[in-house]
Amino acid sequence: MKLILLGAPGAGKGTQAEIICDKYNIPAFSTGNILREAVKNETETGLKAKEYMDAGALVPDEVVIAVIRERLEEPDAQAGFILDGVPRTVAQAEALEQMGVDISRVININVSDEDIVKRLSGRRVCETCGASYHTIYKPSKQPNICDRCNGRLIVRKDDEPSTILARLKTYHEQTEPLIEFYRKRGKLAEVEGAEDLSETTARVAKVLEALE
Ligand code: AP5
């Protein structure tokens, strides 16, 4: 199973990726997580990516394509994977095709801009393991403590209100065209990202059952 999760920032790609990973035992590759780790460790990639990420802009294609090419060559990627947050431009999607990656399905999670702002402003992430929570829709059992690893929950730097709007603008201009790109290839499945998290999960599960 080789899946792509598409959707605006905060549509729930990371949340659904975690659930699919656990159910199907395949790894999820989030370019956002990989790049945040690179920024934290001040690697060459991290130094190139930081200013774009802080501004809510996309990291240049050549940087992201190199990151994902390297990740897809790892042994754990051979049996299947979920791509969360990549591709995000037509150039990235074309690069995947040139690498010979045969995608089974592209799931686009639809959420209105208004709901995106609500979601991102309530999001909390674990600074240790990266697990994602929401103050209302997916609270942790103990306030500000990760259920998985007891790490501290923090607000992501790019979830500040002005950066959220910049990320949405970037999404509409550069990533939304991918919906048509994959529709034309007969790969697209559309899912409404309902306010109830379990409902979105059930809709995604239906798409995946059709692939089994
Ligand atoms: P990245 O980390 O990929 O961020 P994003 O796409 O903006 O996506 P998010 O992680 O913010 O949201 P999500 O859809 O995973 O939502 P989540 O599940 O957390 O990228 C960050 C930056 O890195 C980019 O801005 C860019 O600079 C750079 N970058 C990354 N990839 C790149 C690429 N390919 N090319 C170039 N640059 C790249 O959910 C959000 C919240 O809502 C959570 O709190 C969750 O609990 C809640 N929630 C989820 N689902 C539901 C639901 N159904 N109902 C109610 N609440 C829900």
Side-chain angles (χ1 to χ4, degrees), residues 10 19-20 32 39 43 54 57 65 68-69 94 98 107 161 170 172-173 178 181 195 204:
I19 296 168
I20 302 168
V39 170
T43 66
D54 285 351
I65 290 167
I68 201 67
R69 187 192 301 276
E94 287 172 346
Q98 280 153 19
I107 303 179
T170 304
H172 289 302
E173 288 172 0
L178 287 178
F181 180 95
E195 199 150 285
V204 170

Side-chain angles (χ1 to χ4, degrees), residues 6-18 30-36 49-61 64-65 68 84-89 92 109 111 115-116 118-125 130 132-139 156 158-159 163 167 170-171 175 192-201:
L6 271 187
K13 305 180 293 294
T15 303
Q16 293 306 322
E18 270 180 38
S30 153
T31 37
N33 287 346
I34 296 171
L35 292 168
R36 271 186 292 280
K50 187 177 184 316
E51 63 176 299
Y52 297 97
M53 296 177 77
D54 285 351
L58 293 183
V59 173
D61 285 332
V64 173
I65 290 167
I68 201 67
D84 161 13
V86 65
R88 244 178 165 97
T89 62
Q92 292 177 19
I109 307 177
V111 178
D115 285 341
I116 290 293
K118 274 195 229 159
R119 284 188 191 187
L120 291 182
S121 39
R123 174 164 61 183
R124 300 292 179 270
V125 291
S132 173
Y133 298 86
H134 192 280
T135 49
I136 299 166
Y137 306 128
K138 191 189 169 193
R156 241 169 67 176
D158 59 353
D159 282 346
T163 317
R167 287 162 66 201
T170 304
Y171 165 75
T175 308
E192 281 309 310
E195 199 150 285
D196 182 334
L197 210 155
S198 57
E199 210 171 293
T200 308
T201 306

Side-chain angles (χ1 to χ4, degrees), residues 7 11 14 32 54 106 113 142 149 172 186 196 209:
D54 285 351
V106 177
D113 284 8
Q142 292 182 64
C149 75
H172 289 302
D196 182 334
E209 276 157 24

